[in-house]
């Protein structure tokens, strides 16, 4: 838990008091208890008095015990593995503020009435236990937000000109008469177009023209081969492509040559 328990409890109380569902539930419970008049409240208060009495107990005990239960369950989440054990501990802890509220409101509203503290605490414990269990169940069944995976990179447009079996990872482009030989890791195909136009269709593939008749994808280069004063790039598929002098500065800037 990143924030102090007191801050978490106060935030949970604010959430309960601002939730339409929680407010509706507390109001409904107060009305039902006021009409039914359990625990001798039917004879002690008139209907408005019972409504005010139960409204104070329900709202104050629910808000305080729910906040304490939430904080307790959060603290126990990384310390206690079994959910039943977490519910038991949260029930015991959260029943304390509920009992304090119920006992205090009863003493204030009916000073002369004898209230058995243990019996009252037992009722608070039962209600707190049901609430803690519901919170654990709801937390386990909440839908997990899907993880946004990065979108797959768009294949270079030049591959659309090849037959499906040859569409793979783009390795290099080479001029062959009036055609461009588009070479991938799955094969190659001849396309009737200029090399400059083919290079514009390489899309997001990072590459470099190394010769007036050759373009190469940088990640396809395995090593630089020097022989008889000439420089060539050897690709991972074994193909060697010459690097002409006019394109050597660009090859050096791209890190292919030293």
């Amino acid at each position: 838990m990143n924030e102090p328990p007191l801050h978490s409890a106060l935030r949970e109380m604010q959430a309960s008091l601002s939730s339409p569902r929680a407010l509706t539930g507390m109001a409904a419970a107060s009305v039902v208890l006021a009409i039914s008049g359990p625990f001798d409240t039917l004879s002690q208060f008139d209907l408005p008095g019972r409504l005010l009495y139960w409204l104070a107990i329900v709202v104050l005990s629910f808000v305080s015990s729910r906040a304490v239960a939430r904080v307790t369950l959060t603290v126990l989440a990384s310390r206690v593995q079994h959910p039943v054990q977490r519910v038991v501990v949260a029930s015991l802890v959260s029943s304390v503020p509920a009992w304090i509220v119920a006992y205090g409101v009863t003493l204030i509203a009916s000073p002369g009435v004898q209230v058995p503290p243990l019996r009252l605490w037992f009722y608070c414990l039962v209600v707190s236990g049901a609430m803690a269990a519901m919170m654990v169940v709801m937390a386990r069944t909440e839908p997990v937000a899907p993880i946004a995976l990065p979108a797959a990179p768009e294949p270079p447009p030049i591959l659309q000109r090849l037959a499906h079996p040859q569409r793979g990872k783009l390795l290099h482009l080479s001029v062959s008469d009036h055609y461009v030989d588009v070479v991938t890791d799955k094969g190659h195909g001849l396309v009737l177009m200029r090399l400059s136009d083919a290079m514009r269709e390489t899309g997001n593939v990072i590459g470099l023209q190394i010769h007036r008749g050759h373009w190469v994808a940088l990640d396809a280069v395995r090593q630089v081969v020097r022989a008889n004063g000439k420089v060539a790039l050897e690709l991972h598929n074994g193909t060697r492509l010459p690097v002409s002098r006019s394109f050597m500065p660009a090859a050096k800037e791209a890190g292919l040559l030293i």
Side-chain angles (χ1 to χ4, degrees), residues 26-27 40 55 70 89 101 110 112 130 140-141 147 151 168 180 182 224 227 236:
M26 289 187 288
D40 298 328
L55 188 63
R70 177 72 70 184
V89 175
V101 168
S110 303
R140 291 168 64 90
T141 57
I147 300 175
V180 171
V182 182
V224 178
H236 290 290

Side-chain angles (χ1 to χ4, degrees), residues 5 24 35 37 49-50 59 69 80 82 91-92 135 140-141 146 152 159 168 186 189 213 215 232 251 256:
T24 302
I35 295 175
R50 290 198 304 274
V59 173
V80 180
H82 203 287
S91 302
L92 292 171
M135 293 170 69
R140 291 168 64 90
T141 57
L159 296 183
K186 294 184 178 180
W215 174 95
L256 293 177

Side-chain angles (χ1 to χ4, degrees), residues 57-143:
I57 289 181
V58 169
V59 173
L60 295 177
S61 61
F62 174 80
V63 171
S64 59
S65 61
R66 185 175 188 270
V68 172
R70 177 72 70 184
V71 173
T72 304
L73 291 173
T74 302
V75 172
L76 296 177
S78 59
R79 296 175 172 84
V80 180
Q81 297 296 324
H82 203 287
V84 174
Q85 295 176 345
R86 295 199 299 268
V87 169
V88 171
V89 175
S91 302
L92 292 171
V93 176
S94 62
S95 66
V96 174
W99 175 83
I100 292 175
V101 168
Y103 192 71
V105 171
T106 301
L107 290 181
I108 294 173
S110 303
V113 176
Q114 296 296 324
V115 181
L118 290 179
R119 179 185 175 188
L120 183 61
W121 174 77
F122 175 76
Y123 292 138
C124 294
L125 179 62
V126 172
V127 175
S128 299
M131 180 177 60
M134 185 178 299
M135 293 170 69
V136 171
V137 171
M138 291 179 63
R140 291 168 64 90
T141 57
E142 284 180 352

